[in-house]
């Protein structure tokens, strides 16, 4: 009779292999199936199924992780984008300056800068220039001194709060110089203004020529909202005609301006007389008076971008002019930050800029980034108002380089990601406070920035496949062992005792 086929017995080779068997079998006739064992087996399968499903979901899900690393950006400069609205400062007096610790000191930057004059509703009204330097007006040199010109009397009437209104009432047309004695441009204008007054008197122009000392009569100049010296303002029937005169300061230029004003008034009167018969037509439409003031609200929107060094520095919006000295007592730097960011612009773009390959990549990456890591422009749409003169807001900004890695590793090594799903942006932390100035100093809205040497890395974190397989084995083995121990304990407790 042949021996039964048994893999656990046989020749010497097979016996040697069986001696290292970790999974020794218990003969079936030595095992016992119980109801409790079946119940625990079903519990084990249920627990393993739930844990297996949970672990698979965890493996498929990616988490967002952050870390701090030394910023390895080797670009020497960074782009600064800004869009500001100055509520009470004319575009003629807006200057953007840049300074940093490397010695950079650029005054009145005009490259890539746009200025828009605003109306009283804050809407753009007049384009005030792009990449344009302020034009220097011409001044006239005279052989006579001001004292010599005054020897035969002053033709330019010195005005005070007592006679200012009377002077305007007595002169239908008036041209007034509002000056400060310490202003160098006013000092150069004094002889020219006196000669202009003499020329007006000589030819018999129906114009009153006056001047106001804004140091002695500061309140009068405040009431007239004189923001810079000298201010040459035309008045008609007691009302200021804006904008102020800002052309060359020579006798010929001033005389020509006055003649044009008179000619416009005369042409209007001739037109009015000619059309007086058609009263119905005149009532049906409103015709602006010649020489009347057009809206000249002192608001300016300035926008553009600057390339600044990656070192501590600041850019500031200051009130100054190449042809005037600003009146510190009337300089109001209340401003609204429409937009301020560092790096390539990714928000507040025009429609034609939103469908570029770069912007499609930006939208794809940012869609996966949590909101707490999107502090790219925290100052946008904020108003920084000052309710008193001689003060302005200063802003302190910490710029943090942020690397967004939303793809998988490129294979070049740990921490190296494919460029398709990676993006470098700049987050900002800002603080603002009001700074008070001396009465003689002109305030400025200052934006001080500092580049952080550390960077934030935001990246997707997913589990490795071998970690997932280890967890599955731990679930199977741990569940089987744990429930086996429970089953053995319960079996001993509830096993019928032999008598």
């Amino acid at each position: 009779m042949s021996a039964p086929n048994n893999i656990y017995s046989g020749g010497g080779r097979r016996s040697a292999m069986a001696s290292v068997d970790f999974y020794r079998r218990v003969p079936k006739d030595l095992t016992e199936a119980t109801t409790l064992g079946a119940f625990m087996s079903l519990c084990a399968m249920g627990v393993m199924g739930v844990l297996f499903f949970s672990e698979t979901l965890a493996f498929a899900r990616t988490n967002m992780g952050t870390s701090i690393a030394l910023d390895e950006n080797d670009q020497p400069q960074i782009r600064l984008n800004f869009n500001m609205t100055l509520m009470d400062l004319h575009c003629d007096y807006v200057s953007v300056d840049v300074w940093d610790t490397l010695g950079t000191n650029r005054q009145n930057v005009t490259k890539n800068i746009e200025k828009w004059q605003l109306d009283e509703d804050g809407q753009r009204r007049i384009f005030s220039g792009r990449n344009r330097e302020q034009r220097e007006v011409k001044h006239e040199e005279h052989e006579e001194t001001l004292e010599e010109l005054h020897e035969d009397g002053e033709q330019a009437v010195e005005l005070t709060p007592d006679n200012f209104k009377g002077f305007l009432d007595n002169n239908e047309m008036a041209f007034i110089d509002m000056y400060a004695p310490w202003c160098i441009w006013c000092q150069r204008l004094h002889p020219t203004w006196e000669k202009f007054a003499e020329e007006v008197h000589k030819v018999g122009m129906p114009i009153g020529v006056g001047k106001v000392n804004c140091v002695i009569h500061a309140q009068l100049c405040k009431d007239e909202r004189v923001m810079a010296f000298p201010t040459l303002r035309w008045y008609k029937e007691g009302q200021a005609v804006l904008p102020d005169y800002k052309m060359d300061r020579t006798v010929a230029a001033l005389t020509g301006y006055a003649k044009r004003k008179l000619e416009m008034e005369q042409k209007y009167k001739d037109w009015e007389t000619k059309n007086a018969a058609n009263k119905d037509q005149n009532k049906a439409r409103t015709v602006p008076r010649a020489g009347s003031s057009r809206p000249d609200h002192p608001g300016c929107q300035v926008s553009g971008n600057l390339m600044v060094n990656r070192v501590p520095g600041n850019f500031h919006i200051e009130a100054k002019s190449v042809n005037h000295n600003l009146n510190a007592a009337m300089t109001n730097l209340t401003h609204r930050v429409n937009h301020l960011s560092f790096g390539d612009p990714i928000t507040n773009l025009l429609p034609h800029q939103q469908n570029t390959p770069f912007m499609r990549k930006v939208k794809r990456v940012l869609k996966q980034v949590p909101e707490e890591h999107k502090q790219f422009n925290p100052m946008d749409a904020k108003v920084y108002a000052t309710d008193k003169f001689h003060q302005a807001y200063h802003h302190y900004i910490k710029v943090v380089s942020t690397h967004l890695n939303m793809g998988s590793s490129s294979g070049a090594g740990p921490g190296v990601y494919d460029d398709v799903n990676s993006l470098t942006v700049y987050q900002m932390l800002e603080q603002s406070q009001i700074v008070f100035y001396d009465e003689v100093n002109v305030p400025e809205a200052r934006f001080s920035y500092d580049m952080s040497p550390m960077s934030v890395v935001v990246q997707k974190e997913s589990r490795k496949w071998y970690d997932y397989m280890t967890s599955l084995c731990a679930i199977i083995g741990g569940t089987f062992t744990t429930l086996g121990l429970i089953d053995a304990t319960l079996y001993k407790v509830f096993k019928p005792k032999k008598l």
Side-chain angles (χ1 to χ4, degrees):
M1 178 183 293
S2 61
N5 186 12
N6 190 344
I7 63 172
Y8 298 102
S9 61
R13 182 186 304 174
R14 188 167 296 177
S15 298
M17 288 290 293
S19 65
V20 294
D21 184 6
F22 293 158
Y23 306 101
R24 298 174 182 267
R25 300 297 180 90
V26 178
K28 189 173 182 179
D29 56 352
L30 297 180
T31 61
E32 179 183 2
T34 64
T35 303
L36 177 62
F39 175 76
M40 297 304 295
S41 298
L42 292 175
C43 291
M45 288 187 290
V47 170
M48 284 189 286
V50 171
L51 294 178
F52 176 79
F53 181 74
S54 301
E55 193 68 20
T56 303
L57 285 181
F59 175 71
R61 186 185 301 119
T62 57
N63 298 319
M64 206 63 64
T66 60
S67 59
I68 304 297
L70 187 66
D71 190 7
E72 299 180 352
N73 196 323
D74 57 357
Q75 296 179 354
Q77 290 186 318
I78 183 174
R79 174 169 167 160
L80 190 159
N81 315 288
F82 67 94
N83 186 324
M84 314 281 179
T85 296
L86 285 303
M87 305 292 193
D88 197 24
L89 187 63
H90 200 283
C91 283
D92 290 346
Y93 306 137
V94 173
S95 174
V96 179
D97 304 339
V98 179
W99 175 91
D100 64 37
T101 55
L102 290 181
T104 301
N105 189 5
R106 290 183 285 166
Q107 303 288 325
N108 192 26
V109 179
T110 58
K111 185 178 181 181
N112 300 324
I113 304 294
E114 290 186 358
K115 297 177 184 177
W116 284 87
Q117 195 67 33
L118 306 179
D119 60 18
E120 61 274 12
D121 297 323
Q123 301 299 316
R124 290 181 176 182
R125 185 172 64 86
I126 299 175
F127 182 60
S128 296
R130 179 190 294 115
N131 295 353
R132 188 178 68 182
E133 297 282 352
Q134 291 186 10
R135 172 184 173 273
E136 293 189 19
V137 302
K138 294 181 180 179
H139 289 77
E140 197 167 12
E141 300 295 335
H142 302 278
E143 297 180 358
E144 305 94 331
T145 63
L146 186 60
E147 291 73 16
E148 292 174 345
L149 292 173
H150 286 170
E151 289 179 355
D152 57 349
E154 293 186 40
Q155 295 298 327
V157 180
E158 189 74 40
L159 301 177
T160 67
D162 297 330
N163 65 357
F164 184 78
K165 187 176 185 304
F167 179 80
L168 296 181
D169 292 339
N170 295 332
N171 295 276
E172 182 182 1
M173 303 288 179
F175 204 7
I176 298 177
D177 170 24
M178 300 179 183
Y179 69 95
W182 49 263
C183 167
I184 184 62
W185 308 111
C186 302
Q187 296 170 13
R188 296 181 66 180
L189 178 64
H190 283 330
T192 302
W193 193 253
E194 183 61 27
K195 277 202 167 186
F196 164 66
E198 291 178 355
E199 182 67 19
V200 168
H201 179 73
K202 179 180 178 181
V203 300
M205 287 187 188
I207 300 173
V209 180
K211 56 185 178 181
V212 178
N213 187 328
C214 288
V215 173
I216 299 175
H217 310 297
Q219 188 58 48
L220 174 59
C221 292
K222 283 186 179 181
D223 295 341
E224 294 298 313
R225 295 190 58 81
V226 176
M227 301 186 66
F229 305 122
T231 292
L232 306 180
R233 185 166 295 171
W234 186 272
Y235 286 84
K236 177 187 175 183
E237 298 176 352
Q239 299 296 322
V241 178
L242 300 176
D244 296 327
Y245 177 82
K246 296 173 183 176
M247 304 304 292
D248 291 339
R249 297 168 187 164
T250 63
V251 174
L254 294 169
T255 304
Y257 175 77
K259 287 181 178 180
R260 288 193 299 274
K261 286 289 188 181
L262 292 176
E263 289 173 359
M264 289 173 61
E265 181 67 19
Q266 186 58 44
K267 287 181 179 179
Y268 173 78
K269 289 180 178 179
D270 293 343
W271 178 89
E272 191 177 44
T273 302
K274 181 179 178 181
N275 293 275
N278 193 353
K279 295 181 180 180
D280 294 337
Q281 182 178 0
N282 289 337
K283 291 180 181 179
R285 61 179 183 176
T286 302
V287 181
R289 293 291 306 272
S292 62
S293 175
R294 73 167 186 258
D296 193 48
H297 186 269
C300 182
Q301 180 179 345
V302 56
S303 61
N305 63 81
L306 304 167
M307 295 303 297
V308 298
N309 295 319
R310 297 177 64 91
V311 296
N314 70 71
F315 84 97
H316 47 273
I317 298 178
E318 185 179 2
K320 65 181 180 181
S321 170
V322 298
N323 302 310
H324 300 81
N325 286 107
L326 272 294
N327 183 2
M330 290 295 294
T331 304
N332 182 3
L333 266 297
T334 293
H335 57 277
R336 181 180 190 270
V337 179
N338 303 314
H339 178 70
L340 180 64
S341 65
F342 287 81
D344 293 329
I346 57 177
T347 59
N348 293 67
L349 299 177
L350 297 175
H352 70 275
Q353 298 174 317
Q354 297 180 2
N355 200 31
T356 61
F358 173 73
M359 282 309 302
R360 288 195 291 270
K361 169 186 172 180
V362 168
K363 293 177 182 177
R364 183 175 63 252
V365 172
L366 293 185
K367 186 167 61 175
Q368 308 173 63
V369 179
E371 288 297 325
E372 59 266 24
H373 297 299
K374 295 182 181 180
Q375 303 300 315
F376 310 133
N377 39 21
M379 301 179 69
D380 284 16
K382 290 185 179 180
V383 177
Y384 299 90
T386 54
D387 55 1
K388 297 180 181 178
F389 294 111
H390 307 297
Q391 62 185 25
Y393 269 94
H394 284 199
H395 310 278
Y396 304 91
I397 303 169
K398 175 68 76 171
V399 183
V400 182
S401 177
T402 305
H403 305 285
L404 307 176
N405 300 321
M406 297 297 109
S408 58
S409 177
S410 64
V416 181
Y417 289 77
D418 60 275
D419 185 63
V420 176
N421 294 300
S422 297
L423 184 67
T424 298
V425 293
Y426 296 89
Q427 297 190 86
M428 295 163 48
L429 302 173
E430 66 90 17
Q431 290 183 336
S432 303
Q433 67 179 23
I434 292 181
V435 175
F436 296 89
Y437 287 78
D438 295 333
E439 291 189 1
V440 296
N441 294 331
V442 178
E444 62 183 18
R446 177 173 297 184
F447 298 80
S448 300
Y449 53 83
D450 185 15
M451 307 294 169
S452 172
M454 308 303 291
S455 64
V456 176
V457 180
V458 182
Q459 59 189 17
K460 282 184 175 181
E461 293 181 346
S462 57
R463 297 177 61 183
K464 303 297 184 181
W465 67 269
Y466 48 81
D467 184 27
Y468 172 66
M469 295 302 299
T470 302
S471 297
L472 291 185
C473 293
I475 289 172
I476 296 172
T479 303
F480 182 83
T481 303
T482 302
L483 291 180
L485 292 174
I486 295 174
D487 175 67
T489 303
L490 293 177
Y491 180 76
K492 288 184 178 181
V493 171
F494 295 108
K495 180 180 179 181
K497 298 181 179 180
K498 295 180 179 180
L499 296 177

